[in-house]
Amino acid sequence: MITIAIANQKGGVGKTTTAINVATALAATGSKVLLVDLDPQGNASTGLGISSAERERSSYDMLIDQAPVGECLMATRIPGLDLVPATVDLSGAEVELVSVDDRTGRLRRSLSHDAGHDICLIDCPPSLGLLTLNALTAADTLLVPLQCEFFALEGLSQLLQTVERVQERFNADLGILGVVLTMFDRRNRLTDQVSDDVRSCLNDLVFEAVIPRNVRLSEAPSHGLPALIYDHACAGSQAYMRLAREIIARLPKQRKAA
Ligand SMILES: Nc1ncnc2c1ncn2[C@@H]1O[C@H](COP(=O)(O)OP(=O)(O)OP(=O)(O)O)[C@@H](O)[C@H]1O
Ligand SMILES: [Mg+2]
């Protein structure tokens, strides 16, 4: 299994939308996909139509009780896509983790028991705390959604510093899969300028596919569906399909040396 953490400590930049739609696109290619909701907000779980009442075991159990992943996941209505949901308990996990052994390696240990998935995506919360550190320690590689706005690059350098720290201390093999520009608005000149800056700074690390600001992407979660299912033809869904194809092309290089 190859594990991809989707992280950016900035809130509301499209992490969860990217996680849900890339997971769906990858499952549509025939891969067995696992999405781990590691955000106490539980948006990935809700966006996949899993109500709080349906969430029995969760990512909290993986982190705190070291439950094997197989006991915590559930099927979604998307064929080939399983979910480890998040529950409100997870908001306490950050504090509870401080006093346990191997506090950054717990998600990795639980995921190591996985059998049967080809790709695991981890939807991180908007912070660089212990939840995100667990995701980066468990991951082979990192996918960063970046919204084209003025402070985007500053936030990114902070994230990349965290990646270096994780590489030094917990996970030497952590790679960077790439940066995807989200909520792109062609009519906004600042967006264009930031996008140019990001590309000239990060070059090939930035995916060609750009996710436009698209109202269908924001409507889909209220129907409990990935946009890719809710409206396959909309510009946002088509952009996520292109992104998924680029991700598949990049993945072989990201696999951890056994
Ligand atoms: N390309 C887009 N076009 C329009 N709306 C979008 C787009 N991407 C995401 N949204 C909407 O913007 C909001 C934030 O997106 P999302 O939840 O994916 O971000 P996030 O980074 O996961 O947020 P958080 O940091 O709170 O976890 C949501 O309401 C979502 O539906
Ligand atoms: Mg989110």
Side-chain angles (χ1 to χ4, degrees):
M1 181 167 73
I2 183 149
T3 301
I4 305 172
I6 301 179
N8 185 335
Q9 74 278 15
K10 213 163 171 348
V13 297
K15 292 180 287 294
T16 302
T17 305
T18 299
I20 290 175
N21 287 294
V22 168
T24 303
L26 293 173
T29 67
S31 294
K32 293 276 174 237
V33 182
L34 176 67
L35 175 54
V36 178
D37 188 347
L38 205 62
D39 183 347
Q41 300 178 98
N43 296 150
S45 311
T46 313
L48 284 169
I50 307 293
S51 69
S52 307
E54 290 171 273
R55 301 173 203 172
E56 287 177 9
R57 307 299 297 276
S58 69
S59 51
Y60 176 90
D61 300 309
M62 291 173 73
L63 287 166
I64 302 298
D65 300 334
Q66 290 280 269
V69 59
E71 293 176 11
C72 304
L73 58 80
M74 56 195 295
T76 68
R77 45 179 140 162
I78 317 301
L81 175 57
D82 291 331
L83 170 77
V84 177
T87 55
V88 283
D89 303 350
L90 194 59
S91 52
E94 196 98 43
V95 175
E96 290 172 55
L97 280 169
V98 171
S99 56
V100 302
D101 291 343
D102 189 20
R103 58 191 179 188
T104 62
R106 295 176 77 89
L107 184 67
R108 169 158 67 184
R109 187 146 4 125
S110 176
L111 280 174
S112 72
H113 297 288
D114 183 79
H117 295 95
D118 305 308
I119 300 176
C120 171
L121 300 176
I122 307 172
D123 184 28
C124 292
S127 79
L128 293 173
L130 279 170
L131 294 174
T132 298
L133 287 179
N134 263 275
L136 294 176
T137 303
D140 297 290
T141 190
L142 168 68
L143 172 61
V144 184
L146 194 79
Q147 195 181 340
C148 293
E149 54 178 22
F150 186 62
F151 291 117
L153 274 172
E154 280 171 49
L156 189 64
S157 69
Q158 203 186 342
L159 177 60
L160 295 178
Q161 275 170 24
T162 303
V163 168
E164 274 175 32
R165 228 177 82 217
V166 170
Q167 286 166 334
E168 281 161 19
R169 296 179 53 191
F170 309 118
N171 181 7
D173 298 322
L174 175 63
I176 300 180
L177 184 60
V179 171
V180 56
L181 301 176
T182 59
M183 300 190 214
F184 190 88
D185 182 356
R186 228 165 270 290
R187 290 161 304 182
N188 181 336
R189 277 177 53 205
L190 179 64
T191 301
D192 260 339
Q193 195 184 327
V194 172
S195 148
D196 289 349
D197 286 355
V198 171
R199 284 192 191 279
S200 64
C201 195
L202 300 173
N203 306 310
D204 291 348
L205 212 52
V206 186
F207 287 99
E208 296 276 337
V210 169
I211 312 302
R213 189 172 279 286
N214 179 262
V215 68
R216 305 299 269 173
L217 289 179
S218 58
E219 286 169 3
S222 65
H223 298 269
L225 287 172
L228 275 175
I229 307 283
Y230 174 67
D231 182 354
H232 185 77
C234 75
S237 294
Q238 292 299 308
Y240 273 116
M241 293 289 286
R242 288 194 292 277
L243 174 64
R245 280 196 286 273
E246 284 185 69
I247 288 175
I248 290 166
R250 287 187 188 193
L251 277 184
K253 288 180 227 145
Q254 302 290 329
R255 208 174 285 271
K256 258 181 204 165

